């Protein structure tokens, strides 16, 4: 799995907001003081974010020696030691919160994604994330979604069309919107959000690549799959949770998009302790 190209910049910004013009509390410790520290996970989780933690150390003090006892994607147990560090005590203390913030957030995203993915492992559906990400952490969270076993939707507003209700209204029709999209960027994927079977038929007639079925009831999802018959990829969307996920997956849709993967994740409890 390829790491995001903006990873160093993301870490740089996180360090700047935490350190400002210097860690004044770490200055209480003599500059020559060395230490050994360990990071522990306090609950069951799927690990993600090791590269971000490594980059924190690289940017602060590349003399610190890092030893990971686990890897991204591994399932962690409560109170498991996941990493050890040896180096300047000042550097370790200055790096602590930034490292833990990345690890706890991305592990939270990966853990929730793994939970959802396991629910539908018996089907062919792919669970997709959305753009409902923490500002500044989009590429990192989307990496965590992949680590957890789900898949990425478009990265942003630039890499694929997603023609929704307001776009359709402003353009005049689904047909007009798709035609304009094909003319502007003929090589970009085109997805159309529809709200009923009539709109589904219109979207199919335009040759849209993917059709998002917005808040379709279960019976309508079955009808949509039958009507489409493979002419376009179908994506179910709208308020999907663990209680509705499996029946929707079993309708035969190709994708299910779930904003909760990135916006509802709970940070994992981690701590760093000095020997």
């Amino acid at each position: 799995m390829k790491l995001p190209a903006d990873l160093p910049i993301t870490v740089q910004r996180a360090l700047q907001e935490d350190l400002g013009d210097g860690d004044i509390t770490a200055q209480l410790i003599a500059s020559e003081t060395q230490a050994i520290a360990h990071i522990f996970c306090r609950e069951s989780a799927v690990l993600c974010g090791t590269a971000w933690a490594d980059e924190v150390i690289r940017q602060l003090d590349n003399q610190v020696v890092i030893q990971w006892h686990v890897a991204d994607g591994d399932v962690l147990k409560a109170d498991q030691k996941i990493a050890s560090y040896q180096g300047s005590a000042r550097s370790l203390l200055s790096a602590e919160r930034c490292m833990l913030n990345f690890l706890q957030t991305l592990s939270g995203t990966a853990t929730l994604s793994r939970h959802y993915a396991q629910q539908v492992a018996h089907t062919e559906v792919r669970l997709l994330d959305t753009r409902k990400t923490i500002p500044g952490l989009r590429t990192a969270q989307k990496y965590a979604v992949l680590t957890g076993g789900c898949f990425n939707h478009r990265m942003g507003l630039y890499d694929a069309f997603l023609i929704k209700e307001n776009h359709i209204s402003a353009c005049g029709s689904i047909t007009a919107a798709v035609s304009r999209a094909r003319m502007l960027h003929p090589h970009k994927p085109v997805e159309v959000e529809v709200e009923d079977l009539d709109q589904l038929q219109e979207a199919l007639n335009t040759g849209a690549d993917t059709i998002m079925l917005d808040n379709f009831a279960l019976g309508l999802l079955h009808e949509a799959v039958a009507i489409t018959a493979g002419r376009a990829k179908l994506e179910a969307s709208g308020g999907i949770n663990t209680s509705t996920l499996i029946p929707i997956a079993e309708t035969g849709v190709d994708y299910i998009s779930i904003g909760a993967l990135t916006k509802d994740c709970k940070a994992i409890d981690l701590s760093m302790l000095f020997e």
Side-chain angles (χ1 to χ4, degrees), residues 27 37-39 71 80 112 152 156 181 189 211 219 244 256 259:
Q27 292 170 13
H38 307 285
I39 295 179
Q80 183 174 350
L112 187 58
N152 295 154
I211 300 172
T244 60
I256 300 175

Side-chain angles (χ1 to χ4, degrees), residues 153-154 160-164 167 189-193 212 235:
H153 206 288
R154 59 179 181 162
F161 287 99
L162 179 45
I163 301 169
K164 306 186 81 172
H167 300 101
V190 175
E191 179 170 1
V192 179
E193 178 187 71
M212 178 187 288
E235 174 186 334

Side-chain angles (χ1 to χ4, degrees), residues 8-236:
I9 297 172
T10 303
V11 169
Q12 182 182 36
R13 290 172 177 166
L15 283 170
Q16 179 57 42
E17 72 179 0
D18 203 28
L19 296 176
D21 58 3
D23 181 350
I24 60 174
T25 312
Q27 292 170 13
L28 300 174
I29 301 165
S31 60
E32 67 274 13
T33 302
Q34 299 289 297
I36 296 174
H38 307 285
I39 295 179
F40 295 88
C41 181
R42 301 305 185 185
E43 59 183 308
S44 177
V46 175
L47 179 66
C48 186
T50 57
W52 284 261
D54 287 346
E55 182 64 17
V56 169
I57 292 296
R58 190 194 69 79
Q59 292 191 23
L60 268 180
D61 182 354
N62 62 12
Q63 298 302 306
V64 171
V65 176
I66 307 167
Q67 181 184 8
W68 287 99
H69 307 298
V70 285
D72 280 359
D74 286 352
V75 177
L76 308 178
K77 299 178 182 178
D79 298 321
Q80 183 174 350
K81 182 193 296 185
I82 66 172
S84 299
Y85 297 83
Q86 184 171 358
S88 163
R90 280 188 177 185
S91 297
L92 292 175
L93 288 166
S94 295
E96 176 184 4
R97 178 41 53 197
C98 197
M99 288 195 300
L100 294 182
N101 282 350
F102 280 115
L103 288 168
Q104 70 185 20
T105 302
L106 300 185
S107 295
T109 302
T111 301
L112 187 58
S113 296
R114 180 71 57 84
H115 173 69
Y116 272 90
Q118 288 175 338
Q119 306 305 305
V120 296
H122 64 291
T123 73
E124 297 298 318
V125 76
R126 287 192 169 200
L127 303 185
L128 305 178
D129 56 23
T130 70
R131 289 167 44 240
K132 297 174 182 177
T133 53
I134 298 171
L137 285 182
R138 176 164 299 173
T139 60
Q141 280 198 289
K142 283 181 172 282
Y143 176 91
V145 166
L146 295 175
T147 300
C150 293
F151 297 85
N152 295 154
H153 206 288
R154 59 179 181 162
M155 185 61 68
L157 296 172
Y158 55 88
D159 54 336
F161 287 99
L162 179 45
I163 301 169
K164 306 186 81 172
E165 178 183 7
N166 289 333
H167 300 101
I168 295 167
S169 178
C171 289
S173 69
I174 291 173
T175 302
V178 173
S179 176
R180 180 73 172 160
R182 296 296 192 196
M183 182 178 68
L184 287 173
H185 298 283
H187 302 298
K188 299 282 188 182
V190 175
E191 179 170 1
V192 179
E193 178 187 71
V194 302
E195 298 180 346
D196 55 43
L197 296 180
D198 288 338
Q199 286 192 333
L200 169 63
Q201 189 60 62
E202 183 180 359
L204 285 171
N205 292 340
T206 68
D209 301 298
T210 305
I211 300 172
M212 178 187 288
L213 308 171
D214 183 41
N215 285 298
F216 271 43
L218 203 59
L220 285 178
L221 287 174
H222 281 285
E223 285 190 59
V225 170
I227 291 169
T228 302
R231 286 187 287 163
K233 297 292 186 181
L234 292 181
E235 174 186 334

